[in-house]
Structure formats: C-alpha cells, structure tokens
C-alpha cells in the first residue's frame, strides 16, 4: 500500500448534505433549511472572487469539499479543538473562513486531522471544509484567508478534495517531531520550539529505549484521561521512532498509525529520564505491559508541549486525488513588480 503525505483507521463519514434553492441558485449564507444532497466536486461554475462571495449556480444535489494544509505556532492558543475563549486554532481558522466565504460555521463543517494540545505547533495540520459553491481558482481565497489570519497561523496549501476524503478519519499515518535543546544554556532562538534539558542526555540509550515503542502495542499506560473525548482504541502501531542528534539539538521523530491523548509527550518524558540515565531502557516494555498510567507516573510526567510539532499527515493516494472540473491546488502566489517601459532615444 502506498501513502502520500499532505505537507511539506479509515472510515467513510457521511457529510451534511446541501440544499440549494428550488430554482437552482446559490442559497444565502443564512439559509437554514434541511439539506438533502451529498458533498462532491464537479462542474466549473464561474466564480466572482473580488468580494470572496462567489456568484455561481449550483446543481441540485452537489457541493464542494476543500482540503487545507495549515501551519501554526501554538504558543498563544489552547490547541486545535474549537472553543472561543481562550481561542483555539480551529476557532480562528473558522472565523477567517466565514469572512472569506460568507458562510456560517455550521455550514463549513471544518474538521482537522489532529486535535493538537495547548501550546503544540504544526507544520502540516490537515483540515477540510465544504461549500455549496465551486471556485474557478483557489489563489484568491488562499490569499484572502492568509490576509485574515494572524501571522502565527498560515494556510500553506488549499486544494479540491474527493467526496470520500475526511481529514481525520482518512489519515493513515502521522509524523510528530519533538525537539530537545541539550546544553547548559538555552538558545533564545529555540526557546519557543524546543524543550531545554541542562542534563547531559545519552542519545544512544534513548535510541535503544525508543526502539521498544516500535510495533503494535496497547498504549494505555501512555495516555492521559481527557474529559472531552470518547474512549478510543488504545492499540496503536508505531512505524518508526528516531532519535537524531543535530549539535545541541536532539530531534525525536515518531511516525504512527495514530496517537492517543498526550501519548507522544508521555513517551518523550520517559525517554528524557532514560537519557539522563536515571532509569534503564528496558523499562519501556515493562511499562507498556502494565497498561496502567499510574505505572508511568512513577517515573515521568508529560513533557512540555512547546517542543512538539505535528509535521506530516499521510493518506492513501486515492484519497488525495483531485476531482474533475475543479480548480488546481493553490500553494500561494508570488508578488511581481511591473517593469517600467522606457522609450528608446
């Protein structure tokens, strides 16, 4: 099976159908009538983007799904998941989308691939939303979104998505990086994005310990209780867990089928204790076998959030196909300066 990364458990989830006006014209953003169609992508209707509210005609049972790749500095936000106060990434992105599309939040159905925690960063968060209208080009909506968003949140890419694509449930693999600055004095240019450890860490034993996480395991001992999440399958598959030395910086790269609440930070916390040589590497399988969060708590607390970054979300190739009759993917556009034409003398 081949995978494709959008950057840098699969299930089909039904989509809220769309109900255009009986005469076939675009329903107003305030239309709250019951929806009856499915979300797809087809037909290239004319789009008026200067006001960011497309003037289009929509077929009676069609809608359009769009995929976003988003990068953000999570320092000032309470994670991804929607809440108004304190603000979250999803809340800020939805506000920008409602302004750019003139649609209500309930109509956009924005969903993120990963519900990153407070203070966690992302380079390749993936999300999708739906509209009852198509676009000729995505460059203008892309520029509008980044113009509306604060400077610490950026839409890196926007593309049409297949009806079957779901940012969260279609994801096959995710890659997180955790950075540790291992020196006596913290680099002030790293302090937002790396955890400082003044203890000299033994990268070799950390690498040995990380290898015990690879494979399919029950990670119940490495999950924190979450009041706003349903009970999830604790069995996850870790494909790789690398410990990479880059001068004073240690980068821990973990790739897995999915992760439980604070699982990555809890694994990193244990590796930090092992790196300090406070406990041996072979304690990892013992804690995994216990399936008891209290067992991990005897040795380590969660690592701080600011060292963690969601780097990549991978999907099956078929989920990343571009629907026919839809605009090309937008990666942003460069500004150009018009050259002054001088007369010949």
């Amino acid at each position: 099976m081949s995978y494709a990364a959008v950057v840098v458990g699969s299930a089909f989830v039904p989509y809220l159908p769309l109900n255009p006006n009986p005469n076939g014209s675009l329903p107003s953003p305030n239309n709250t009538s019951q929806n009856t169609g499915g979300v797809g992508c087809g037909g290239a209707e004319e789009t008026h983007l200067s006001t960011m509210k497309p003037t289009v005609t929509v077929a009676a049972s069609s809608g359009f799904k769009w995929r976003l790749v988003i990068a953000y500095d999570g320092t000032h936000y309470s994670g991804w998941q929607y809440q108004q106060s304190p603000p979250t990434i999803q809340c800020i992105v939805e506000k920008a989308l409602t302004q750019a599309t003139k649609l209500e939040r309930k109509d956009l159905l924005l969903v993120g691939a990963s519900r990153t925690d407070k203070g966690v960063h992302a380079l390749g968060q993936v999300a999708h939303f739906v509209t009852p209208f198509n676009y000729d080009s995505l460059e203008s909506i892309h520029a509008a979104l980044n113009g509306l968003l604060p400077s610490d949140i950026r839409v890196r890419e926007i593309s049409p998505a297949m009806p079957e694509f779901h940012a969260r449930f279609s994801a096959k693999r995710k890659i997180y990086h955790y950075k540790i600055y291992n020196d006596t004095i913290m680099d002030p240019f790293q302090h937002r994005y790396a955890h400082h450890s003044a203890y000299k860490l033994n990268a070799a034993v950390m690498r040995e310990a990380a290898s015990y996480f690879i494979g399919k395991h029950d990670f119940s001992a490495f999950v924190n209780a979450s009041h706003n999440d349903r009970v999830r399958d604790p069995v996850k598959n870790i494909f790789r867990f690398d410990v990479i030395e880059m001068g004073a910086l240690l980068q821990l790269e973990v790739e897995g089928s999915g992760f439980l609440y604070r699982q990555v930070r809890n694994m990193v916390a244990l590796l930090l204790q092992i790196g300090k040589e406070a406990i041996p590497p072979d304690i990892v399988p013992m804690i995994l076998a216990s399936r008891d969060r209290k067992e991990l708590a005897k040795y380590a607390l969660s690592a701080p959030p600011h060292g963690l970054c969601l780097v990549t979300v991978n999907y099956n190739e078929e989920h990343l196909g571009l629907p026919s009759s839809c605009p090309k993917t937008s990666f942003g556009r460069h500004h150009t300066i018009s050259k002054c034409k001088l007369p010949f003398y």
Side-chain angles (χ1 to χ4, degrees):
M1 179 69 71
S2 62
Y3 300 97
V6 176
V7 172
V8 202
S10 177
F12 175 76
V13 177
Y15 311 106
L16 182 65
L18 302 167
N19 182 25
N21 294 333
N23 61 8
S25 63
L26 178 68
S28 71
N30 296 321
N31 186 351
T32 57
S33 60
Q34 182 63 39
N35 299 320
T36 57
V39 176
C41 200
E45 287 81 17
E46 182 179 354
T47 309
H48 182 62
L49 287 166
S50 61
T51 61
M52 298 316 303
K53 182 178 181 181
T55 303
V56 294
T57 300
V58 182
S61 61
S62 66
F64 303 88
K65 181 176 281 190
W66 311 98
R67 179 171 50 247
L68 303 172
V69 179
I70 307 169
Y72 49 83
D73 178 335
T75 303
H76 301 299
Y77 301 98
S78 291
W80 167 267
Q81 193 72 358
Y82 183 87
Q83 68 180 41
Q84 290 187 331
S85 181
T88 63
I89 305 295
Q90 184 178 1
C91 177
I92 300 298
V93 172
E94 282 186 351
K95 285 181 179 178
L97 280 169
T98 57
Q99 288 181 262
T101 64
K102 309 303 181 188
L103 295 173
E104 300 290 336
R105 174 178 180 257
K106 63 181 177 59
D107 299 319
L108 291 166
L109 302 176
L110 181 69
V111 176
S114 182
R115 292 178 288 181
T116 54
D117 203 7
K118 179 179 180 179
V120 174
H121 314 294
L123 179 64
Q125 171 74 283
V126 179
H128 75 257
F129 69 98
V130 298
T131 63
F133 45 74
N134 196 8
Y135 288 101
D136 290 358
S137 167
L138 294 173
E139 287 189 343
S140 293
I141 179 72
H142 194 173
L145 287 174
N146 282 333
L148 291 164
L149 288 167
S151 60
D152 52 5
I153 304 174
R154 278 293 169 266
V155 174
R156 298 179 59 200
E157 178 184 328
I158 179 169
S159 61
M162 300 292 284
E164 298 82 11
F165 176 79
H166 190 282
R168 184 179 177 195
F169 294 118
S170 297
K172 291 298 182 183
R173 300 183 179 209
K174 296 176 183 176
I175 298 174
Y176 281 89
H177 289 181
Y178 194 96
K179 293 184 178 181
I180 303 164
Y181 194 79
N182 189 204
D183 205 350
T184 54
I185 307 297
M186 180 60 182
D187 182 346
F189 296 102
Q190 297 279 353
H191 82 281
R192 276 196 174 195
Y193 311 109
H195 168 58
H196 180 217
S197 174
Y199 292 92
K200 183 62 179 174
L201 299 175
N202 185 333
V205 295
M206 291 175 72
R207 206 170 283 120
E208 179 188 346
S211 70
Y212 289 114
F213 288 117
I214 298 172
K216 189 175 286 188
H217 303 286
D218 184 323
F219 283 93
S220 295
F222 289 85
V223 60
N224 282 24
S226 174
H227 67 277
N228 61 355
D229 198 7
R230 65 184 185 280
V231 175
R232 301 179 66 186
D233 183 2
V235 177
K236 301 296 175 186
N237 196 355
I238 303 298
F239 304 111
R240 68 180 179 94
F241 203 148
D242 300 327
V243 178
I244 300 170
E245 297 176 81
M246 299 182 291
L249 199 65
L250 274 181
Q251 183 160 285
L252 279 57
E253 301 182 0
V254 57
E255 179 175 359
S257 59
F259 297 94
L260 302 167
Y261 181 56
R262 293 196 181 174
Q263 179 188 335
V264 177
R265 288 166 56 192
N266 287 332
M267 292 190 295
V268 169
L270 186 61
L271 292 181
L272 279 166
Q273 294 303 313
I274 292 167
K276 295 173 185 176
E277 301 182 338
I279 48 178
D282 59 7
I283 201 169
V284 173
M286 184 195 79
I287 294 174
L288 280 168
S290 75
R291 302 181 183 179
D292 185 354
R293 180 66 180 82
K294 293 178 182 176
E295 192 63 28
L296 175 63
K298 295 176 183 177
Y299 305 99
L301 301 175
S302 290
H306 67 281
L308 186 62
C309 181
L310 171 63
V311 174
T312 310
V313 182
N314 292 339
Y315 298 88
N316 287 341
E317 290 281 0
E318 57 266 27
H319 284 146
L320 295 181
L322 297 179
S324 60
S325 303
C326 278
K328 294 187 298 185
T329 299
S330 172
F331 298 97
R333 59 187 174 195
H334 290 285
H335 293 259
T336 58
I337 297 175
S338 298
K339 293 183 179 179
C340 179
K341 294 181 179 180
L342 297 174
F344 289 101
Y345 293 98

